[in-house]
Amino acid sequence: MSHEQDELFASVDALLEQVAAEDGLPEPEERKRLRKAAGLSQEQVARALDVRRESVTSWEAGRTEPRPPKRAAYIRLLDGLAARHPADRTASVTPAPAPAPASAPGPAVPAATQPPTPPQAPPPRPPAPAHRPAAKKAAAKQPVPAAAVDPRFAHGPLAVLDGDGSAYCVGGLVLDCPAKDIASLVEWTLTEAKLGAPRLHRNGKDADPLIVLTEAAAERLGLPAVLEDRRGLRLSEDHKAVRQITRAKWKLTKRGFGPWARIYRPAQAGQRQCVQFAVLPWGALDARAWGSADRLPPAELARVLGNYAARVITPRGSTAVSGLELMTALRPPTRAVKDETSGAWVSGPMPGSLTEAVDPAPPEAPDEHPVVAALHPRGHQRTAAEVLDEEAFEWIRDPQLLTDAECTRKFAVGIDVNTAFLAAANRLVVGLGAPVHVTAPVFDKALPGSWLIDLSGIEMDARLPSPFTPHGVRPEGPAWYSTPTVAYAYELIATYRLPVTIAPAEAWIRPHSGPYLDPWYKQLSEAYRATMADLGVVSGMPETDFLTAMATHKQTDPGLAAVLSAIKSTVKGGIGKLRERPQGAGYTYGERWPALERPTWRPDIRAAVVATARVNMHRKLIKTALASQSSPAPVGHLRFDDDALLAIALISDCAVFLSEDPSPYGFLPRTADDKPAPGGFRLGVSPGMVKHEGTQELLWAVQMLDEGHNPARHIKGTDAGIDGE
């Protein structure tokens, strides 16, 4: 194409934008109505238009107007929605056309093999109910309003069933459920209850309805109070409830009927038939994630779980499972594409997603993996030059290295990074395909992978940990590192002009890459911030007000505090699931295990997230030390003055400092105009900012160090390994 033609096309495009800009937008209320009628969230619209969710909120409130080129795209979207959802029939509309859901989950059918359907096909409607379920009464507390109402899921994503047949839904609605056994409960759920949630991505699947069984409901349905099989955590095949399910032609997935169970039939005409169950007396809601939520009254539990479902995803198992499922729901592995030869719709890979299971590079694999078993005998202790060891910090300073100035301070103060792993996932480019081995590569920080390189020449101030090992000890020779760690090594050398030359000897790289976790980050960070705001902690509040609000926020609403805990657990658990180890006593070393067959079994992605969180912490440690000392930044070395503020202990996302002030506001360095020091720790609610973790006396911290214990683990009086984020 000639340069002249390029200029002509640009002029025409500009003219079209001008015409679009002159078109009148619908009134703000109509913009909001159209989005909700189509079953779209503000986040979905924002992603489509490549703007922030707050921009869409502002447009719908009438505070601002979209500007070109976003304006033309927004008008196009609203025109399309208006054609489908005229104002005079809003109450009876169906969602915008989307691909029909794939088959119900069978025991051994990977997502990539699900039969595709053309994008034009509308979502299937459930069978007409025999009678409308009766609404009995309203609960006292209301959940956060749903972003949109889909008539197929008019009663929300889930219900908590009690022993008297009351099914408590979100929004305070209570339905009469006549079912007396599991099979009839499944039928009622699919034909009458109107439960479920729309897909999070147009190429994904709608969320199956969730029925939560209280202890009384489990008894009414003939389920035992406790599971006798404590190892398998499932009912035996000959249990009455399982036989009833089989006789009714329903199926259970491979995990059977346990605390989280799926009951389904193979899809017919593209219609999913699947119900998820959570059995409370069997421990479906882990106290480490949900606190005491399983002891809440049914109506309140419905509010809590409904809130999590609206902001994150309908629970599908543990918070770890839900975290992993959220990745797939936001970036489905496949989509429907038209075969150019036959014209038929077939399954094709989804750009930007993890589309197939791939084996890791040998250094990335855990010891049990077949890739490792083929290289080393069982029991072989792999060296740093044989295995990638990207883990979070767990480090304490040698108490002999405490300075005289530090020993005069009165307090040990802990600060904790908000959702550190979530912050690390933001804009992180990760590999999307299989690794490729190269020798003597030139390092590229934009290239995801694992690198064998010697970083032992980078010397750190003895009072700080090395950023290259989880335990903070300086590496002794070549070792495997993820891209973020190696990039940080080059950054330190360049920034402080260190007299060190480094170069990787070999690498396993992934040329096909992208920011796979970005939608996951956005969904969870929004959920986290929104829940914190409901608990009285909002972005932008003065730091002293923030510290005051944080001291009591969990008492504001215990139910929402449980949601907050579950969101944070979803982050950690989802990242952990990327490298799920074999489970069960029957596993044989060197054999494959089920998790390896899913596209989201990716230890390299987990390593990249953890490495990013660790180097982010170390970078802030250095910036804090530089801002607190009287001398300028060092050149040619990384040693700091005695008056520099240096941590004495780290564990994952928590750091402990010695201070004259019991509050982090009193010791974190600030600029002359009373702003947080650039690049250092900053108090606030957003992911990556910090909060007060706890304060103890100086002698307590020194004694902990002398005894070899980590003050960061216990600074708030409990075990940070359990309660941390």
Side-chain angles (χ1 to χ4, degrees):
M1 185 180 295
S2 68
H3 178 68
E4 180 182 5
Q5 193 170 25
D6 282 341
E7 291 184 343
L8 289 172
F9 279 14
S11 298
V12 170
D13 288 342
L15 191 61
L16 290 172
E17 292 294 346
Q18 180 181 346
V19 173
E22 293 170 356
D23 290 342
L25 277 166
E27 291 297 317
E29 282 299 318
E30 177 65 2
R31 303 170 198 173
K32 185 176 183 179
R33 183 195 71 79
L34 288 170
R35 175 182 59 76
K36 287 192 170 186
L40 299 174
S41 67
Q42 290 181 336
E43 184 68 31
Q44 288 174 296
V45 174
R47 284 200 297 266
L49 299 177
D50 194 24
V51 297
R52 299 170 64 241
R53 182 192 61 78
E54 289 81 3
S55 297
V56 179
T57 302
S58 186
W59 297 345
E60 292 184 352
R63 292 192 296 269
T64 61
E65 294 286 301
R67 300 175 62 184
K70 311 296 184 185
R71 184 183 180 93
Y74 190 43
I75 291 173
R76 181 181 178 88
L77 171 66
L78 295 176
D79 287 347
L81 296 181
R84 292 176 170 84
H85 307 289
D88 60 345
R89 56 187 181 92
T90 308
S92 61
V93 297
T94 57
S103 304
V109 182
T113 65
Q114 297 292 343
T117 51
Q120 292 85 354
R125 289 182 173 274
H131 63 277
R132 185 177 181 84
K136 297 171 60 177
K137 52 187 177 290
K141 292 186 178 180
Q142 300 297 316
V144 174
V149 177
D150 187 319
R152 297 172 300 151
F153 313 125
H155 297 150
L158 56 88
V160 180
L161 183 64
D162 208 2
D164 62 355
S166 298
Y168 295 81
C169 306
V170 298
L173 181 69
V174 186
L175 307 176
D176 278 319
C177 175
K180 299 293 180 62
D181 57 57
I182 294 295
S184 59
L185 177 56
V186 173
E187 296 282 358
W188 175 84
T189 302
L190 292 175
T191 59
E192 300 184 39
K194 292 188 176 181
L195 297 174
R199 66 202 70 183
L200 297 178
H201 189 284
R202 69 183 301 272
N203 291 302
K205 298 179 288 189
D206 295 328
D208 298 318
L210 170 63
I211 301 295
V212 182
L213 303 179
T214 65
E215 184 175 359
E219 181 180 359
R220 170 188 169 115
L221 297 168
L223 301 179
V226 295
L227 283 174
E228 294 182 3
D229 182 0
R230 302 308 302 166
R231 174 171 292 179
L233 290 178
R234 66 183 67 192
L235 289 179
S236 63
E237 295 294 326
D238 60 354
H239 190 277
K240 180 181 178 181
V242 177
R243 294 201 308 269
Q244 288 174 341
I245 293 168
T246 304
R247 282 199 303 269
K249 308 298 184 183
W250 291 102
K251 296 178 180 292
L252 286 161
T253 58
K254 281 187 175 181
R255 63 183 173 185
F257 202 116
W260 290 92
R262 283 182 183 271
I263 299 178
Y264 73 99
R265 283 177 182 151
Q268 297 179 359
Q271 180 177 329
R272 288 173 62 81
Q273 299 181 86
C274 183
V275 178
Q276 172 95 33
F277 286 90
V279 187
L280 296 182
W282 298 352
L285 297 183
D286 191 328
R288 292 170 296 181
W290 292 97
S292 58
D294 60 346
R295 296 196 292 272
L296 293 172
E300 176 67 0
L301 180 58
R303 180 181 79 103
V304 168
L305 294 177
N307 204 305
Y308 179 90
R311 289 177 173 170
V312 182
I313 193 172
T314 303
R316 303 183 183 185
S318 67
T319 49
V321 170
S322 297
L324 196 70
E325 291 284 344
L326 180 62
M327 294 180 196
T328 302
L330 293 169
R331 284 198 187 272
T334 60
R335 62 174 178 171
V337 296
K338 188 170 266 188
D339 185 273
E340 296 182 357
T341 303
S342 65
W345 290 95
V346 297
S347 180
M350 182 72 188
S353 292
L354 302 177
T355 60
E356 61 179 353
V358 296
D359 277 341
E364 298 165 348
D367 290 344
E368 308 92 340
H369 198 281
V371 167
V372 178
L375 295 175
H376 307 291
R378 184 173 187 176
H380 171 76
Q381 295 296 315
R382 290 193 283 172
T383 66
E386 294 173 330
V387 62
L388 181 70
D389 186 24
E390 294 284 16
E391 300 294 342
F393 271 128
E394 183 163 6
W395 166 85
I396 62 173
R397 195 199 299 179
D398 183 343
Q400 299 299 320
L401 295 177
L402 293 175
T403 66
D404 291 341
E406 288 175 324
C407 291
T408 64
R409 297 167 188 167
K410 298 178 181 178
F411 302 103
V413 186
I415 57 174
D416 183 82
V417 180
N418 301 324
T419 56
F421 292 154
L422 184 62
N426 187 22
R427 298 190 298 272
L428 179 65
V429 176
V430 300
L432 301 178
V436 177
H437 185 256
V438 292
T439 56
V442 175
F443 177 71
D444 183 351
K445 67 179 182 180
L447 192 58
S450 300
W451 310 78
L452 181 64
I453 188 170
D454 188 351
L455 302 180
S456 62
I458 301 178
E459 183 180 0
M460 195 68 51
D461 189 304
R463 295 169 294 163
L464 276 181
S466 166
F468 310 127
T469 63
H471 43 71
V473 176
R474 184 176 173 181
E476 296 180 350
W480 285 97
Y481 302 98
S482 186
T483 295
T485 301
V486 183
Y488 185 55
Y490 277 95
E491 175 187 324
L492 291 175
I493 293 171
T495 302
Y496 303 102
R497 288 180 263 176
L498 304 181
V500 182
T501 300
I502 58 175
E506 59 178 294
W508 289 90
I509 59 173
R510 286 176 166 82
H512 183 207
S513 61
Y516 172 74
L517 293 172
D518 264 11
W520 189 79
Y521 164 80
K522 292 175 182 176
Q523 183 93 350
L524 285 168
S525 62
E526 278 294 316
Y528 174 77
R529 280 191 288 258
T531 306
M532 290 296 288
D534 287 345
L535 291 170
V537 187
V538 297
S539 299
M541 64 193 312
E543 291 166 284
T544 51
D545 292 348
F546 166 74
L547 291 172
T548 300
M550 285 298 295
T552 58
H553 74 289
K554 292 184 179 179
Q555 286 73 51
T556 303
D557 185 330
L560 281 178
V563 175
L564 180 67
S565 174
I567 291 171
K568 293 189 288 189
S569 185
T570 301
V571 173
K572 290 187 70 172
I575 296 300
K577 275 281 184 180
L578 292 169
R579 195 189 64 170
E580 184 177 358
R581 309 295 280 268
Q583 302 175 20
Y587 173 74
T588 301
Y589 174 83
E591 290 183 348
R592 298 186 70 84
W593 58 95
L596 302 186
E597 309 311 320
R598 65 173 190 242
T600 49
W601 192 85
R602 291 294 300 274
D604 58 298
I605 295 180
R606 175 192 177 275
V609 172
V610 175
T612 300
R614 194 182 67 248
V615 300
N616 283 349
M617 170 72 86
H618 197 272
R619 184 182 292 110
K620 291 179 180 179
L621 290 174
I622 288 184
K623 295 294 185 182
T624 298
L626 291 174
S628 63
Q629 70 176 13
S630 53
S631 300
V635 176
H637 61 84
L638 280 169
R639 292 183 292 276
F640 304 96
D641 295 348
D642 284 352
D643 63 345
L645 184 66
L646 299 171
I648 65 167
L650 301 171
I651 187 164
S652 189
D653 43 19
C654 178
V656 176
F657 296 86
L658 299 180
S659 168
E660 281 292 328
D661 195 297
S663 168
Y665 182 80
F667 75 83
L668 288 177
R670 307 184 73 79
T671 62
D673 56 351
D674 198 34
K675 301 292 184 183
F681 296 104
R682 182 170 184 173
L683 291 166
V685 69
S686 297
M689 299 177 80
V690 300
K691 62 180 182 293
H692 184 203
E693 180 75 353
T695 297
Q696 302 287 346
E697 293 184 352
L698 168 70
L699 292 179
W700 172 89
V702 173
Q703 183 178 353
M704 293 284 286
L705 294 176
D706 284 338
E707 295 175 355
H709 301 307
N710 193 325
R713 181 180 291 277
H714 306 283
I715 190 70
K716 67 177 181 180
T718 57
D719 192 325
I722 295 176
D723 298 332
E725 297 174 11

